[in-house]
Amino acid sequence: METIDSLAMPIEANLSVLESGQIAARLRLCEGLREALEQAHVVDGDLKLDVKHVLLLTDVYDDQSVQHSSDLSLWKVAENCSVLHESDLDDAEKVGYIGEWNLPFLRWLHGLAIETFEPVTVYYEHERGDYLYEVAWWSADPRAADGYTEKFALQNYEGGIEPLWVGEVARYADGRVEVRAY
């Protein structure tokens, strides 16, 4: 299996789930996460693991990562589960900054969050040298206190200290979707 070279690319993508939760146990079903699970660490009760090679089908440098065929089958169980992503920001100018994300993988994670009533978060960061360029995160939390059940956000820093722009889209329990850009 080809993967994106973590040493050559200043890109990080991490998954966070409850350490003692049902989702953490089910991640072992995903062949592409098994090595990452061995290297995962726990912070404040959350299991954190590197998912760059599973999340990014193509990174911002056009390097591709091939997925395990068993994972492609596994993720199909949630193919009807919708996920928010950069295209949902309703602004063509905000698309293309974070490579091509593996939406079937996110759908599977979203399905697990709904089924287990547990939160899941994916955090992406791209740097060039010591300069931050893009930050994105996707989360699904059926029990979120502020009423959202899913959120996707993207910030573009272009190497600066403050973001040039921020786009955020949230789906609420009542089905309402709200887009904010600033």
Side-chain angles (χ1 to χ4, degrees):
M1 180 178 99
E2 294 177 33
T3 60
I4 298 170
D5 181 358
S6 61
L7 295 176
M9 298 296 152
I11 297 171
E12 291 185 19
N14 296 292
L15 173 64
S16 177
V17 297
L18 297 174
E19 174 195 18
S20 60
Q22 296 175 58
I23 293 176
R26 293 198 190 166
L27 293 178
R28 298 193 188 294
L29 297 172
C30 183
E31 181 72 29
L33 294 179
R34 290 190 183 151
E35 185 177 329
L37 282 163
E38 291 174 14
Q39 300 171 6
H41 59 281
V42 177
V43 177
D44 298 327
D46 288 338
L47 182 68
K48 311 252 185 205
L49 60 146
D50 176 4
V51 295
K52 178 171 70 173
H53 60 285
V54 176
L55 178 68
L56 296 176
L57 297 177
T58 306
D59 72 14
V60 294
Y61 300 103
D62 289 327
D63 290 331
Q64 297 182 348
S65 183
V66 177
Q67 306 302 312
H68 290 273
S69 60
S70 60
D71 290 342
L72 298 174
S73 296
L74 173 66
W75 300 330
K76 282 188 178 184
V77 300
E79 66 187 351
N80 293 325
C81 189
S82 63
V83 292
L84 297 173
H85 193 252
E86 64 183 340
S87 61
D88 294 300
L89 296 172
D90 291 335
D91 185 345
E93 295 292 320
K94 291 181 173 57
V95 175
Y97 285 90
I98 56 175
E100 180 186 357
W101 282 25
N102 184 346
L103 297 183
F105 172 61
L106 288 181
R107 287 184 188 102
W108 180 65
L109 291 174
H110 193 192
L112 291 176
I114 292 167
E115 183 181 331
T116 63
F117 208 64
E118 295 176 4
V120 59
T121 300
V122 172
Y123 182 80
Y124 167 96
E125 186 174 282
H126 174 220
E127 293 182 353
R128 294 183 194 158
D130 291 335
Y131 300 100
L132 189 58
Y133 272 72
E134 295 88 30
V135 172
W137 63 94
W138 171 86
S139 65
D141 189 351
R143 59 186 187 173
D146 64 359
Y148 81 91
T149 58
E150 182 188 12
K151 190 177 284 187
F152 175 81
L154 175 60
Q155 299 174 341
N156 182 347
Y157 286 82
E158 287 294 326
I161 296 171
E162 297 293 324
L164 296 177
W165 52 259
V166 175
E168 183 177 282
V169 59
R171 185 184 330 268
Y172 292 85
D174 62 7
R176 178 174 41 98
V177 174
E178 184 177 291
V179 178
R180 294 184 332 159
Y182 45 95

